[in-house]
Amino acid sequence: MSSLLGRLGGSAAARPWRTLLGWLLLLALALTLAGTLGGEPREDYRVPGTRSTAGADLLRERFPELSGAGARVVVHDPGGQRISEQPLAELRGRLAALPHAASAAAPVLSGDGATALIQVDYSVPVTDFKGSEGLDALRSAAAPTEAAGLQVAFGGQLPENFSAPDGTAEMVGVVAALIILVVALGTLVSAGLPLLVALAGLGLGTALTTLLAAVTDISATAPTVATMVGLGVGIDYALLLVSRHVEGLRRGLTPREAAAEATATAGSSVVIAGATVLVSLLGLRLAGLSVYSSFGYATFVVVGAVMLASLTLVPTLCAMAGHRLLRKAERLGLAAGAAAPRAGSSAPTRTERWARLIGRRPLTGALASLVVLLALAAPVLGMRTWPQDAGSQAADHTTRQAYDLTAAAFGPGANGPLVIAVDLRTLPSAELPALTGKLSSTPGVAAVTPAVVNRAGDAAVLTVRPTTGPQDVKTKELLDRLRGGVLPAGAEATGVVASFADISDRLASRLWVVVPFVVALSLILLTLLFRAPVLAVKAAAMNLLSVAAAYGVTTAVFQTDFGAELLGLPHAVPVSSWVPILMFTVLFGLSMDYEVFLLARVREDWLLTKDPHGSVVRGLSATGRVITSAAAIMVAVFIGFALDPDVTVKMMGVGMAAAVLVDATVVRLVLVPATMTLLGRANWWLPRWLDRLLPQLNIEHGTDQPAPTPREPVSV
C-alpha cells in the first residue's frame, strides 16, 4: 500500500496542473448534478415493531385525514386582552386552504381568552414537505393576523421538524482552523493548503450527499453532522501530509520527491485512519432507525471525499507551492546549501522530554490518567435521554415561543398530547365513554378530548393531555402507566411523544449492539494493518475511555442549568436520544485517527531499531506537534458547531470537542506512552499462527525508498 500511495503522490506532483484540472472538472460535474438531480433532506422517524408505530399505522389505514403531519398555530394578544372571534375565524379559513391541509380545527381559547390554539392537520406526512415550504405557508397565512397586532407562533410536528443552519458554525470553525494552521506551520501558504484541500473534499462530499437525498431519505441534520466531521478530519488529514512533506523539503528533497515520500508514509496513516472512521460508521446501520442510516450515508461519503482530496490534492498543491511551504529562513538556508533537518537536532524537544518523563514513571502516569478519565466519565451514570423538542430551542425561535405560550395558557402537557388510536373492531364503540372516563381519572392526565369516530365507524381517536411537559420524566411514566394496564386491547398510544419515547427505548437497547460491532471491526482492521493484536486491543480500550469521558462531559454540561445556559439554551435538558449512538460511532473512528498517526510512526521506528522504549519516545516526538495542532483544529471546529441552533448538533459539537481534547492530551500524551512503556516488546507480539494468516500490507515506508539512519536506543 505504501508503494502504491507513493506512486500516486509522485504522479500527482509530477503533473500538478492535470490533477488540479481533473479535480475542478469533478467538482463542477458533482455540483451540477446535485443542483439538477439532487433531493431535499427529509426525516423518517418510523420505527417498525413499536407500539406507537402500530397506532400510527391504524390511523394511516382508517383515519388518513389524521395520520399526516400536524401544526399548532398559537395566537396571543400581547396586551392580555380577549381575542375577538373575527380574526381567529379568518385565520382558520386561510389555514384550511393551505396546500395538503386536511382540516383546521375550531380555535380553543385559554381561560382569559388572550391565547388561542388552532390545530392544523395535513393529509400527507411531514416528509412530503420540502425545505421550509410548510412553515413558509403557515407564515403567509398568519401575516394578516400579525398585521392586526396579534402575536402568532407555530408549534407541532411540521414547524419543529424544520431547521435552517445559518453557516455560523462552519465559519467559526474555518477561521479558528486557519489561525491554528498559521501558528503550526509558520507560513500562510502552508496554512491555507490544508484548509483549501478540506473545503474541496467537503464540496464534493456535500454534492454527493445531495444526490443521495434524491434516492433515499437523508435527515435534515445529517448534512450538518457530516460537514462537522468532514471539515475536521479533512483539515487533519491534509495537515499530516503537509507536515510530512515539509519534513522532506527540510532534508533537501525536491518537491516531487517530498510529495511521493509524504503520500507513501503519512498517506498510509490517512488511509488507515479514514478507513477506521468509515468502518465505525457502519455501526449506524444496526441502530434500527432509517434516520440513523442517513447519518451514516452522509458522513461516509463526506469522509471518503476528503480522504480522496487529501491523497491527490495535497501532493499536487505542495508541488505547485514548491519551497514556499518553508519559512523564509529555511528557504535561505537551503539556497545556501545548508540543509539541516530539524529532526537531526541533538537537543530533545519538549514532547521528547515529556515522553522520557512518562517512560521513567509509567505506572504513575497510567494510573493518574485513568483517574482523570474515570472522573470525567462519572456524570454519564446520571444521563437521561430524550429526543429534542421545542422546549429546548432558543427563546427567539417561533417553535419555542409557541411552546411557552401554550404552556402558560393551557399547561405544559398541551405541548405533548398523547394520541390514543382505537380499533373499534376490537373495542366496541359503546365502551368509548368508559375508556374516556378511565383515562380522565388516571394520575398525570389533565384532560381528555371526546372521541372522534371515522366515517366507516371502525376507528376512533382520543387525545390525552398530560399534566407535565414532553421532556418531563413523569410524562414517560404516564405513557408506561397507560400502556401497562389502562388502555384495553385495541387501543394504542401514538403521536410525537409516544413515538419519541419508543425511539429512546429502541436506541438505548441498540447501543449495546452497536458498541461491540464497531469495536470488533476496529480491532480486526488495526490487527490486520499493524500486525499487533495487543496494540489493537489497547487502542480500542483507550478509545472507549475517551468516548465515556465525552459522554460524561456532555451530560454534565447539558443536564445542568449553568452549562445549558452558557450554550444559549433556556434550561437544563436531557441528552438527545440521537446523540449516544451517533457520537460513539463517529468518535470511535475519530479517536482512532490520532492513535493511528502515532502508532504508524512508532512502528516505523520499531521495525528499524527494535528499541521498544526509544521508538515510543521518537514516535511521540516526531508526531507530537502535528497531532497537537490537528487536535486543536478539530476542537475548534467542533466548538464552532456548538453554536448551531439545533440542539442535537450542539451536543455533538460539545461532546466531540471534549473527546478530542481528552484524547490528544490525557490519552495520547500520558496513557499511550505509559502503557507502551509498561508493555515493552509485548506491544509487538504476534502469534505465529496469526502471522501466517495475516497478509503483508506494507503500510510503512515503501521498500523502494531509502531507509532511515539507524538510531541508538533511548534511555528512559
Side-chain angles (χ1 to χ4, degrees), residues 488-632:
E492 285 290 1
T494 186
V496 174
V497 173
S499 297
F500 277 4
D502 289 342
I503 286 172
S504 280
D505 291 342
R506 172 67 62 88
L507 292 177
S509 64
R510 299 301 289 182
L511 178 63
W512 305 112
V513 177
V514 173
V515 168
F517 174 80
V518 172
V519 172
L521 281 183
S522 299
L523 282 173
I524 293 170
L525 180 62
L526 289 179
T527 302
L528 183 67
L529 293 169
F530 285 110
R531 305 177 65 80
V534 173
L535 280 184
V537 171
K538 179 183 67 65
M542 290 181 182
N543 284 359
L544 288 172
L545 286 171
S546 294
V547 174
Y551 282 171
V553 171
T554 303
T555 303
V557 170
F558 287 93
Q559 289 188 192
T560 60
D561 288 336
F562 176 75
E565 289 169 3
L566 283 179
L567 293 169
L569 299 180
H571 48 69
V573 296
V575 174
S576 172
S577 301
W578 311 114
V579 166
I581 290 181
L582 185 58
M583 187 185 292
F584 176 82
T585 52
V586 174
L587 277 182
F588 200 84
L590 291 182
S591 296
M592 201 67 82
D593 278 4
Y594 302 121
E595 183 81 9
V596 167
F597 294 165
L598 174 58
L599 290 184
R601 202 62 175 262
V602 173
R603 188 168 192 264
E604 187 178 324
D605 192 287
W606 157 256
L607 292 176
L608 177 68
T609 65
K610 299 302 179 181
D611 177 7
H613 295 162
S615 61
V616 174
V617 173
R618 288 187 290 268
L620 185 58
S621 178
T623 59
R625 182 179 178 86
V626 68
I627 287 180
T628 301
S629 301

Side-chain angles (χ1 to χ4, degrees), residues 164-175 231 636-637 639-645:
D166 56 9
T168 301
E170 291 88 341
M171 185 58 64
V172 169
V174 168
V175 172
L231 186 60
V637 169
I639 287 179
F641 278 89
L643 303 176
D644 193 276

Side-chain angles (χ1 to χ4, degrees), residues 412-462:
N415 283 299
L418 298 172
V419 178
I420 310 300
V422 183
D423 184 355
L424 295 181
R425 295 176 182 176
T426 303
L427 183 72
S429 57
E431 297 186 20
L432 286 176
L435 175 60
T436 302
K438 191 175 182 181
L439 289 171
S440 300
S441 61
T442 301
V445 174
V448 181
T449 62
V452 178
V453 181
N454 66 347
R455 294 186 181 90
D458 59 0
V461 173
L462 300 90

Side-chain angles (χ1 to χ4, degrees), residues 114-142:
T115 305
L117 296 184
I118 302 178
Q119 177 66 30
V120 181
D121 292 310
Y122 294 88
S123 59
V124 297
V126 70
T127 54
D128 279 22
F129 292 92
K130 294 182 178 180
S132 63
E133 65 176 4
L135 184 57
D136 290 342
L138 288 171
R139 285 172 171 158
S140 297

